Amino acid sequence: MNKANMVKIGRNDLCLCGSGKKYKKCCMNAEKDQKSLKQEYKDKYNIILKEPYQIEGIKKSGLLLLSILDKVEKMIEPGITTNMINDLVHEEHVRAGAIPAPLNYRGFPKSVCTSVNEVICHGIPGDLILNDGDIINVDITPILKNYYADASKTFFVGTPLEDAQKVVYIAKESLKRGINVVKPGATIGDIGFAIQDYAESSGCSVVREFIGHGVGIEFHEQPQVLHYGNKGDGIMLVPGMVFTIEPMVNLGSKELHVLDDNWTAVTNDKSLSAQFEQTILVTETGYESLTPFEL
Ligand code: MF3
Ligand code: CO
Ligand code: CO
């Protein structure tokens, strides 16, 4: 904070915004509203509305994330193992002075999630060799200067088959449609509806067991962001909210089970599953992605 910011304005002083009006007739109420909204969302929902300096921190973490995701994309080809992706992701975090949030998170043993074909999410990197025609989701969450950003993409390995193209396209478009409804006054249910309506009408299914989440100060914060639901349901979006949207879309049915490793979630019918994820900020007029990539 600089000195100017530390001067306390009196109610009858001229407002610092330059309007020429008294502070009490100008920005004082807006600031109060913002404070009470922040308190209300904390008390009611345990949601932390972010301050501008915190948003800056999350954004920087997001830029690092995107740079690592680009490097991953360049290395993906038939013959590499998911461990090789883990090594690259881990080293890039260290090089940037960041920590990979997945490592040791509730016992997760690696620095990134790599989910191949019928794996929905939380795939653990290992000796698995990628083959031509596979799809792989790579989900990265850096902690940079204590700020978390969370995003993922699904990549084709070599030349995709038609099924792979379909499920990846629909997962990507689902995220795009979910993001596009984000603005103050919309609700969590509006996001879920946009995603479910599109994915199901395209002949795919939406996973229920894993959901988007508040993010930034912690890995998983409130609110829970369902990828299904009804318009108007759930918490109202307000500026300063930061959360992920990360729909998992299956080519077949939505049913899943978790393998003996207690992490890897796979489709019961072995159908392909794809996912894209971004960290989204609610702004005064709409949204801003803090992990922006083209959808
Ligand atoms: N990145 C995942 C998410 O989008 C969470 C992974 S938890 C881990 O929420 F432990 F598997 F890394
Ligand atoms: Co997430
Ligand atoms: Co993630």
Side-chain angles (χ1 to χ4, degrees):
M1 193 185 279
N2 61 35
K3 271 219 176 102
N5 288 338
M6 287 165 66
V7 176
K8 192 160 187 317
I9 333 169
R11 296 165 46 81
N12 290 312
D13 291 344
L14 283 181
C15 191
L16 289 177
C17 78
S19 63
K21 289 192 258 179
K22 286 183 179 176
Y23 178 53
K24 69 177 178 194
K25 292 268 182 212
C26 191
C27 291
M28 191 176 88
N29 287 323
E31 280 170 20
K32 256 199 210 148
D33 285 357
Q34 200 50 41
K35 262 240 164 78
S36 59
L37 190 65
K38 204 172 168 175
Q39 199 55 50
E40 182 188 334
Y41 266 61
K42 181 76 189 118
D43 294 346
K44 252 197 186 153
Y45 308 121
N46 200 22
I47 291 172
I48 308 165
L49 298 183
K50 271 70 176 180
E51 303 285 345
Y53 75 92
Q54 296 171 315
I55 292 164
E56 281 313 303
I58 301 167
K59 215 183 248 187
K60 288 194 178 120
S61 186
L63 288 181
L64 170 64
L65 193 168
L66 294 180
S67 77
I68 301 174
L69 209 48
D70 277 348
K71 293 193 168 104
V72 168
E73 179 162 20
K74 294 200 173 87
M75 82 180 287
I76 287 186
E77 59 180 18
I80 71 156
T81 67
T82 50
N83 255 339
M84 290 163 73
I85 296 171
N86 183 74
D87 289 347
L88 174 108
V89 169
H90 187 89
E91 279 160 22
E92 290 297 325
H93 277 82
V94 172
R95 214 160 66 89
I99 298 166
L103 186 60
N104 300 321
Y105 176 78
R106 298 179 182 219
F108 191 80
K110 296 282 186 167
S111 298
V112 60
C113 296
T114 52
S115 302
V116 176
N117 294 339
E118 72 276 12
V119 178
I120 293 168
C121 64
H122 301 166
I124 303 173
D127 295 329
L128 181 74
I129 296 170
L130 299 182
N131 290 313
D132 191 39
D134 285 347
I135 59 172
I136 177 171
N137 175 276
V138 178
D139 191 340
I140 299 178
T141 311
I143 314 170
L144 181 65
K145 302 202 168 123
N146 288 327
Y147 292 110
Y148 293 72
D150 190 4
S152 80
K153 281 186 189 180
T154 300
F155 302 109
F156 298 121
V157 181
T159 312
L161 301 170
E162 209 174 300
D163 273 1
Q165 265 169 1
K166 178 179 172 186
V167 74
V168 169
Y169 177 80
I170 292 170
K172 189 189 285 192
E173 182 69 18
S174 294
L175 173 56
K176 190 172 178 172
R177 292 188 182 216
I179 291 174
N180 274 330
V181 305
V182 173
K183 62 174 185 203
T187 69
I188 296 278
D190 293 347
I191 299 172
F193 177 81
I195 292 167
Q196 182 185 9
D197 184 51
Y198 169 73
E200 290 182 354
S201 69
S202 309
C204 288
S205 65
V206 176
V207 167
R208 308 300 156 99
E209 287 83 349
F210 303 99
I211 59 188
H213 50 91
V215 68
I217 312 294
E218 306 280 349
F219 200 160
H220 294 108
E221 301 176 14
Q222 292 299 320
Q224 301 193 340
V225 180
L226 308 186
H227 303 117
Y228 55 92
N230 297 307
K231 280 186 190 171
D233 280 1
I235 295 170
M236 193 191 282
L237 308 183
V238 294
M241 277 172 90
V242 177
F243 52 79
T244 72
I245 306 178
E246 49 178 301
M248 284 138 274
V249 172
N250 299 349
L251 203 50
S253 90
K254 63 185 188 315
E255 269 63 53
L256 63 80
H257 59 282
V258 174
L259 300 186
D260 284 346
D261 61 18
N262 283 324
W263 281 104
T264 313
V266 300
T267 57
N268 280 357
D269 61 9
K270 295 263 168 32
S271 69
L272 292 176
S273 184
Q275 179 182 27
F276 289 80
E277 173 178 24
Q278 290 193 20
T279 295
I280 303 297
L281 163 72
V282 183
T283 64
E284 295 292 334
T285 53
Y287 67 86
E288 180 184 350
S289 178
L290 305 182
T291 53
F293 58 80
E294 211 189 318
L295 289 168

